[in-house]
Amino acid sequence: MLRFLLPLLLFVTVSLNLSAQEVKTVSAHSEWLEKWSNSKAYTMEALATIPDDKLSYRPTENQMSVQEQIQHIAGNIYGLSRRFLDHQPPGFDEEKLGAKLSAQTLNRKELTNLLSDAYAFGAAAVQNLPEERWNEPVSNFFAGPKSRRVVIYLLQDHATHHRAQLLIYMRLLELTPPRYRGW
C-alpha cells in the first residue's frame, strides 16, 4: 500500500507546486482594463450588427431607442469618470460632448465614435487613478457613501445592463446578437 501512496503523494505535491508557480499576480488595473476592453468590443459588435434604419428602434414608446441606449452608456461613462474618478483631461470639450449626448439623430459613424471615445475615456480614468485611491470614499454619490472602487465596478455594470437591453432589442428585430464575451 505504501508503495502506491508514496508515488501518488509525490505526484500530487509536484503538481500543486507547478500549479502554484503558474499563477500570476494581476493588478486590479490590468484585470479591470482587460474586462473593459472586452466589454467595449462586445458592445461595439452589437452596435455594428444593428442596421442603420433600426438605430431609432425602440420596443415601446417608453423605452430608449438604440441610439439613446448608446448615448446613455457613453454619457454615464463620461459622467462617472469625470465626477467620481477625477478624470479631467486638458482640452476636454464638455459642450461638444453635451451636443452629441443630446442629439436627436446621430448617424452610425457618430454613434460608433461616441461609444468608442467613451470607453477610451473610461479606460484612461481608471488607468490614471492609482490603485491606492480605489478605496477612497467619493462625495455626493447618488447611492450614498461608496468607494471609488464601487464607481469603477459601476462603469462596467452599467454598460453591461444597457448592452443587455440592446441585445434584447436585437432579438426583437430578429437579429443574432454577437457571441458572449464576459471575461
Side-chain angles (χ1 to χ4, degrees), residues 42-43 45-51 54 57 59 66 163-179:
Y42 191 19
T43 308
E45 189 177 349
L47 176 58
T49 304
I50 299 171
K54 300 299 183 191
Y57 173 77
V66 170
R163 180 181 56 243
Q165 291 178 325
L166 286 175
L167 299 177
I168 291 169
Y169 289 14
M170 292 175 73
R171 292 286 187 196
L172 293 170
L173 291 167
E174 298 181 358
L175 300 170
T176 302
R179 188 165 180 220

Side-chain angles (χ1 to χ4, degrees), residues 6 31 41 44 51 55 83-84 114 130 146 165:
L6 190 57
E31 186 176 79
M44 297 296 285
L55 295 175
R83 183 166 180 201
F84 300 112
L114 175 65
K146 302 291 180 201
Q165 291 178 325

Side-chain angles (χ1 to χ4, degrees), residues 75-143:
N76 182 266
I77 294 168
Y78 279 109
L80 290 175
S81 297
R82 292 177 68 227
R83 183 166 180 201
F84 300 112
L85 302 181
D86 298 334
H87 190 57
Q88 303 291 336
F92 180 77
D93 191 340
E94 190 169 343
E95 200 171 297
K96 186 177 178 181
L97 174 63
K100 289 178 186 176
L101 293 176
S102 63
Q104 295 296 313
T105 304
L106 294 175
N107 64 38
R108 173 168 308 282
K109 183 177 180 184
E110 292 168 322
L111 276 177
T112 300
N113 289 342
L114 175 65
L115 186 61
S116 180
D117 292 349
Y119 266 93
F121 193 91
V126 173
Q127 282 176 316
N128 292 326
L129 185 70
E131 283 186 44
E132 59 269 13
R133 291 194 60 210
W134 284 33
N135 290 323
E136 291 177 354
V138 295
S139 59
N140 300 320
F141 194 66
F142 56 89

